[in-house]
Amino acid sequence: MTGQYNPWLVVLSLLVAICVSYTALSLAARVAGLPPKYARWWQAGGAFAMGVGIWSMHFIGMLAFSLPIALSYDPITTLASLAVGIITSGFALGIASRARVTLQHLSMGAFIMGLGIAAMHYSGMAAIQVVPGISYEPLLLLASVVIAVGASFVALTLFCFLRSESNLRLFGYRLAAAIVMGCAIVGMHYTGMAAARFAPGSYCIGATDTNSHWLALLVGGFALGVLLITMILIFYHTHLDARARHAAALEDVNSRLQHMATHDPLTSLPNRVLLEDRLAQAIAHAERRTGRVAVLVMDLDRFKMINDSLGHHGGDQLLQEVARRLQATLRKSDTLTRTGGDEFVLIADEISSVADAEQVARSVISCFTQPFRILTVEIHTAPSIGIAMYPSDGSDGDELLKNADAAMYYAKKVGGNNFAVFAPSMNAYTLERLELENGLRRALASKEFVLHYQPKVDLVSGRIGSAEALIRWRHPQRGELLPAEFIPLAEEINLILQIGDWVLREACKQARQWQLAGQPVRIAVNMSAQQFRQKNIVEVVRAALVSANLEPRLLELELTESAVMYDAEGSAAILAQLSRLGVHISIDDFGTGYSSLNYLRRFPLDKLKIDRSFIKDMVANPEDAAIVTAIISLAHSLRLKVIAEGVETEQQLDALKSLGCDQYQGFVCSPAISSAAFAELLRTHNPQHFDPLATVSRLYVPMKPG
Ligand code: C2E
Ligand code: MG
Ligand code: MG
């Protein structure tokens, strides 16, 4: 008796086989990268889905086959064949998701899997309740088993090859592999069917004329449903996983940056940033239990001379050795920091009197009685130490450090290798500072400030898109002073708000002039922390824009990390208002302060400016290069632009370009120059008329004050 095939159902069985193969490939790729805890669950679920899939394919294949007589199936044997399918799939997935797969694994696996599939097929056939039983053509039967083993080998090899590339680009490869595998599975099935012989006059026990069409569609639909759900789960889980990995990578960059920002690379001691933080903590702690804190500032005597004679490398070694010795003598509760050069600062809390602090100073000095051996030379050095006590010598960290500093200078002046406890007489204002202060108070009125402008250049187009305004003080006696020489003083005597306001207005006016002259550039203004924290800062910025009639998008504010991180919640609100106004906001000197990624993400920022200290050595020092790379990718992942400052050489420029940095600023293009010189630079550098912001609306409705 010969049978016939329903072509539609044959196609359906092939479709199911391809879907099973595709799902299996995706599963193997998914399971391979997972920790065992998850992998086990995926493997179990995956085995079920694949088992149902392969079995359905076989079952549909059998339903596609019809004899002149009606067929019926024994439910128990049918279910048993399904179980064989699931177990075989679990085994196959187990092999395909092993970390390392050898040829031996593959051959053994293919052998067992092939037998499993054959077993499933023939037990499925055995479920047909035909009398007398089905007989098989031995050669074709053998061929079907060989095909099953061969197909399994190809399948497993493809699994193991493709699973490492979970890339979407591989969709095509994966689909092609799935089609090959699907055909192999179907081939095995129909060879097996061809081997079957039904004796003439056979009949089925208890056969009713069930509509095999609908049953096939039902089983096929169920199998495709299971496979679809599996695919959705795989996709969803992969997506979640990628997000978790991304977040972890960001956290890692953040913690590396934070360590670098808070520690001295030479000695690994905490640096000034961390010192200020710890000192504030120690003071808060002492305040609660009405205790005391001692701040000891120490500086090595004659270090400059030693450094000059030993060379840089020797000087570094000496500092490292000093740090080691100091750390060995101090108590666990003391905090030792290196704040720069040869200056170390020690915070000792859990101290009850000045006598205790003096004892600490003595033990520090005793560290230096033995000479240091550096590069086979014996070096004798000693510290000068200044001590300031909380609360008697200062109520906050700044004041304590300043007074301890004054005491240290005093100790040095009286001969060094010594310590001194702060006394108010040590801090008498020097005449020089007094004069500077008076000069600064007059400078605004007598128009002694000027702004210089430094170009910010687009790394891709090479064009100058913005200018940073940098203040200079034309001092009547001392000539041109740089900001470092007077901005800190201006902050201390509360002149910075007035100076900052002048800078803002002047810069806006200049930007407007350039725009009217047909050379629009965005103007960047530095804003000190005090200025940013003044109550009506949004109003101050708005007023400057209005009085210059400048569009907000042509103004950029540069804020340091510490300015925005101090009271981050409050900053977020102000930044949001500024950003709503339309001005751009960037973080200056990025990488040198504390910053919490959490907030960076939430602040409406436009740009991070990598501090020039990282750029300086990025070509020679792999660690700095790594940090620059990390900052750029961090910024881009937060959808921020990145600018590098302090770019002095072509090599640095090339390196930054290859890292995908967006802009740069530095002497390699130009230092800060007068407004006239800048206008000339624009004319030669950006020859054609060019509006870097042309994509934004040109229609500008002037803002109303308030
Ligand atoms: P900043 O905002 O980080 O400014 C960049 C500084 O780096 C400028 O120094 C600039 O002249 C310098 N610089 C630029 N290119 C290079 C280079 O290739 N190599 C090196 N080594 N240095 C380069 P400047 O003008 O002395 O300003 C120092 C700091 O003073 C500024 O740092 C900024 O924090 C502050 N500042 C300047 N103007 C103002 C102002 O109007 N208001 C406030 N609050 N602060 C200002
Ligand atoms: Mg700046
Ligand atoms: Mg900077």
Side-chain angles (χ1 to χ4, degrees):
M1 177 153 55
T2 50
Q4 277 183 324
Y5 285 100
N6 174 335
W8 292 111
L9 292 186
V10 172
V11 170
L12 180 62
S13 70
L14 179 63
L15 190 70
V16 172
I18 292 172
C19 288
V20 173
S21 306
Y22 189 83
T23 311
L25 280 172
S26 309
L27 263 169
R30 184 77 278 252
V31 174
L34 286 179
K37 193 172 74 178
Y38 295 114
R40 219 166 300 133
W41 283 104
W42 273 104
Q43 222 160 308
F48 176 76
M50 276 174 64
V52 167
I54 299 189
W55 177 83
S56 309
M57 178 265 133
H58 276 264
F59 194 68
I60 295 167
M62 269 157 45
L63 291 173
F65 179 72
S66 61
L67 285 172
I69 56 166
L71 293 178
S72 71
Y73 302 89
D74 171 39
I76 305 270
T77 320
T78 304
L79 280 180
S81 74
L82 172 60
V84 172
I86 292 176
I87 293 169
T88 307
S89 300
F91 174 79
L93 261 185
I95 294 211
S97 49
R98 283 177 82 102
R100 268 177 45 85
V101 191
T102 61
L103 188 66
Q104 231 170 357
H105 283 139
L106 282 179
S107 327
M108 268 299 286
F111 187 67
I112 298 178
M113 204 179 132
L115 289 189
I117 292 178
M120 182 194 67
H121 176 76
Y122 288 105
S123 58
M125 292 291 280
I128 301 179
Q129 294 168 310
V130 68
V131 176
I134 308 167
S135 63
Y136 290 98
E137 178 84 21
L139 268 181
L140 279 175
L141 187 134
L142 187 66
S144 75
V145 176
V146 170
I147 292 180
V149 172
S152 302
F153 185 81
V154 174
L156 281 179
T157 312
L158 280 174
F159 271 141
C160 299
F161 172 68
L162 283 180
R163 64 169 188 202
S164 52
E165 330 270 330
S166 55
N167 222 311
L168 251 187
R169 260 182 310 154
L170 279 182
F171 173 78
Y173 283 127
R174 221 185 255 185
L175 189 65
I179 291 174
V180 170
M181 275 169 56
C183 290
I185 295 174
V186 167
M188 179 269 147
H189 174 87
Y190 290 104
T191 318
M193 294 294 281
R197 291 284 172 271
F198 296 85
S202 298
Y203 66 96
C204 256
I205 313 163
T208 51
D209 213 0
T210 46
N211 190 336
S212 61
H213 232 103
W214 288 111
L215 189 57
L217 284 180
L218 196 72
V219 170
F222 174 68
L224 289 177
V226 168
L227 295 172
L228 186 68
I229 290 173
T230 312
M231 281 309 294
I232 290 173
L233 284 177
I234 293 174
F235 182 77
Y236 181 66
H237 196 245
T238 308
H239 180 67
L240 279 188
D241 212 41
R243 275 182 54 167
R245 250 198 291 264
H246 185 66
L250 283 183
E251 277 314 317
D252 181 51
V253 170
N254 193 36
S255 63
R256 267 168 52 203
L257 276 178
Q258 224 160 64
H259 186 87
M260 291 200 56
T262 53
H263 289 80
D264 161 41
L266 183 65
T267 59
S268 298
L269 290 175
N271 67 9
R272 182 153 213 115
V273 176
L274 205 51
L275 163 72
E276 283 169 12
D277 192 60
R278 297 268 172 92
L279 188 51
Q281 275 175 25
I283 290 172
H285 185 60
E287 203 172 8
R288 278 197 298 277
R289 53 185 178 100
T290 55
R292 290 164 175 233
V293 179
V295 176
L296 288 82
V297 171
M298 71 189 89
D299 190 276
L300 300 185
D301 297 337
R302 300 178 305 123
F303 180 74
K304 197 176 154 8
M305 201 195 79
I306 297 170
N307 203 25
D308 287 347
S309 56
L310 282 179
H312 237 32
H313 189 60
D316 284 355
Q317 265 189 29
L318 176 63
L319 290 171
Q320 284 170 331
E321 189 51 36
V322 167
R324 250 194 300 276
R325 283 197 195 173
L326 288 174
Q327 245 170 339
T329 48
L330 298 175
R331 294 174 305 175
K332 279 240 152 34
S333 58
D334 298 336
T335 303
L336 177 66
T337 64
R338 175 166 175 248
T339 49
D342 58 332
E343 190 179 274
F344 294 85
V345 175
L346 174 70
I347 307 170
D349 52 3
E350 298 182 10
I351 252 181
S352 52
S353 65
V354 178
D356 285 354
E358 290 176 347
Q359 193 47 51
V360 175
R362 269 186 217 105
S363 62
V364 165
I365 290 175
S366 72
C367 288
F368 292 81
T369 39
Q370 291 294 323
F372 294 84
R373 278 202 86 78
I374 307 293
L375 312 171
T376 74
V377 188
E378 262 190 15
I379 304 288
H380 292 267
T381 180
S384 295
I385 302 173
I387 304 174
M389 299 290 292
Y390 172 86
S392 50
D393 299 331
S395 56
D396 63 26
D398 274 355
E399 197 177 355
L400 286 171
L401 284 170
K402 209 177 69 194
N403 291 344
D405 230 24
M408 186 272 288
Y409 279 118
Y410 181 84
K412 203 171 272 273
K413 213 162 61 188
V414 298
N417 192 12
N418 206 344
F419 65 83
V421 179
F422 173 74
S425 61
M426 295 173 182
N427 211 2
Y429 273 17
T430 60
L431 195 60
E432 191 190 321
R433 188 190 134 115
L434 212 60
E435 273 173 3
L436 200 65
E437 201 181 305
N438 289 336
L440 203 53
R441 288 186 201 284
R442 282 193 307 265
L444 259 183
S446 34
K447 298 193 168 37
E448 288 166 12
F449 292 123
V450 279
L451 291 185
H452 278 187
Y453 300 88
Q454 187 179 31
K456 296 187 181 189
V457 189
D458 192 294
L459 261 170
V460 177
S461 69
R463 289 187 175 268
I464 297 172
S466 29
E468 178 172 8
L470 294 158
I471 191 170
R472 304 287 180 256
W473 179 11
R474 293 205 176 127
H475 192 280
Q477 283 88 44
R478 297 171 55 179
E480 188 165 280
L481 298 184
L482 290 174
E485 296 170 273
F486 61 91
I487 291 286
L489 181 60
E491 287 177 333
E492 211 171 302
I493 61 178
N494 292 325
L495 266 182
I496 192 67
L497 296 190
Q498 280 150 272
I499 297 178
D501 191 47
W502 177 83
V503 172
L504 203 55
R505 283 167 182 272
E506 182 69 17
C508 288
K509 234 183 331 190
Q510 184 59 69
R512 178 66 179 156
Q513 273 177 28
W514 282 331
Q515 189 189 24
L516 290 177
Q519 291 280 21
V521 281
R522 178 176 292 134
I523 199 87
V525 173
N526 292 285
M527 191 164 266
S528 81
Q530 275 182 50
Q531 209 182 344
F532 176 62
R533 272 184 238 131
Q534 65 182 312
K535 277 210 179 52
N536 58 342
I537 180 62
V538 182
E539 275 323 302
V540 168
V541 172
R542 189 204 300 273
L545 286 167
V546 168
S547 89
N549 198 17
L550 184 72
E551 299 168 55
R553 67 188 173 91
L554 284 178
L555 176 63
E556 171 177 335
L557 301 176
E558 292 193 5
L559 294 155
T560 59
E561 278 177 296
S562 39
V564 291
M565 282 307 154
Y566 174 93
D567 179 22
E569 291 288 344
S571 299
I574 298 173
L575 290 174
Q577 287 182 56
L578 288 172
S579 161
R580 233 174 290 136
L581 202 62
V583 302
H584 284 226
I585 297 161
S586 52
I587 298 295
D588 205 348
D589 305 341
F590 186 77
T592 58
Y594 260 135
S595 65
S596 152
L597 205 63
N598 246 344
Y599 280 108
L600 276 191
R601 246 195 263 258
R602 284 172 43 194
F603 289 157
L605 305 175
D606 297 283
K607 209 183 284 170
L608 295 185
K609 195 187 239 194
I610 308 177
D611 189 65
R612 56 180 170 280
S613 59
F614 299 114
I615 306 299
K616 193 166 144 258
D617 294 326
M618 70 173 288
V619 176
N621 182 348
E623 207 162 304
D624 282 350
I627 238 32
V628 171
T629 312
I631 294 177
I632 292 175
S633 76
L634 169 82
H636 285 165
S637 77
L638 295 174
R639 297 206 173 74
L640 302 177
K641 292 249 180 285
V642 198
I643 177 166
E645 69 176 3
V647 182
E648 296 183 351
T649 67
E650 291 290 339
Q651 285 114 300
Q652 290 165 346
L653 205 57
D654 289 341
L656 288 163
K657 212 179 277 177
S658 71
L659 289 175
C661 188
D662 303 289
Q663 289 183 316
Y664 78 95
Q665 185 180 349
F667 296 164
V668 72
C669 173
S670 161
I673 49 183
S674 71
S675 59
F678 191 88
E680 186 50 38
L681 180 69
L682 273 181
R683 260 191 295 281
T684 53
H685 198 97
N686 291 359
Q688 302 107 30
H689 170 76
F690 163 73
D691 183 352
L693 315 155
T695 47
V696 187
S697 156
R698 279 171 179 281
L699 280 176
Y700 171 58
V701 183
M703 282 194 299
K704 298 203 173 53

